[in-house]
Amino acid sequence: MAPGDALVAALEQGSIASAMRDSLWLFPLVETVHIMGFSILVGAVVMFDLRILGISKRISVRLMARHLLPWSMAALLLIVPTGTLMFASEALDLVGNRAFVIKMLLLMLAGVNAAAFHLGSFRGAEFWDQNTPSPAGAKLHAIASLLIWAGVITCGRMIAYL
């Protein structure tokens, strides 16, 4: 057994993971909070990406970012702990689930894409903030973001079937 496997097994055997499996209501409650947080996050991301792609050009890109970023951060405060709890309840199965592994890779890619956008194209947003087409690089990040998040959603649904 690899060291990582022992850690995953220990996580799954913990009291919180057992409570998640043994309670009639705990897992569905945690999953509901996870999905609500995920809906807020993806909703904010999609609205921002569509703005970058030219929808609602009259709305300031920078103002929209300042409005949506706190919602995204708050959503992460729901998603990360609830996702961790759900993972712990079936960790051994999930690490071998292709859809789960791809979902985690896509989540990392989403983070890299967002960071690259904010460190790159978005730094010049004052020049294309409002009523001006976004630069090609920003549009590529937005398209990539939409595709990545569609993949995350698809993989999240497929976990139960693989």
Side-chain angles (χ1 to χ4, degrees), residues 4-161:
D5 294 340
L7 181 62
V8 170
L11 181 64
E12 188 172 306
Q13 293 168 3
S15 59
I16 293 174
S18 294
M20 288 286 292
R21 285 189 303 276
D22 297 341
S23 170
L24 178 63
W25 295 103
L26 188 56
F27 191 98
L29 176 64
V30 168
E31 185 176 34
T32 298
V33 173
H34 186 74
I35 292 169
M36 290 172 68
F38 189 73
S39 298
I40 293 166
L41 175 65
V42 173
V45 167
V46 168
M47 296 304 298
F48 189 74
D49 288 343
L50 290 176
R51 169 57 190 89
I52 298 298
L53 292 173
I55 305 293
S56 302
K57 281 191 249 186
R58 289 180 285 161
I59 299 173
S60 162
V61 169
R62 294 181 300 167
L63 185 61
M64 192 168 209
R66 278 195 304 270
H67 177 72
L68 293 174
L69 194 56
W71 285 98
S72 298
M73 292 298 136
L76 286 172
L77 293 175
L78 297 174
I79 296 167
V80 172
T82 55
T84 302
L85 288 171
M86 290 188 304
F87 173 75
S89 72
E90 51 187 331
L92 288 169
D93 288 337
L94 287 173
V95 294
N97 184 302
R98 203 170 337 146
F100 176 79
V101 171
I102 294 169
K103 178 183 174 184
M104 293 299 108
L105 292 171
L106 287 172
L107 287 170
M108 286 187 271
L109 185 58
V112 168
N113 184 57
F117 169 77
H118 283 279
L119 295 172
S121 300
F122 190 66
R123 287 186 180 240
E126 70 258 14
F127 301 111
W128 51 274
D129 190 44
Q130 202 170 358
N131 293 320
T132 304
S134 306
K139 288 181 179 180
L140 286 174
H141 282 292
I143 291 167
S145 173
L146 292 169
L147 292 172
I148 292 165
W149 286 107
V152 170
I153 292 167
T154 301
C155 289
R157 288 300 310 135
M158 294 301 297
I159 289 170
Y161 302 103

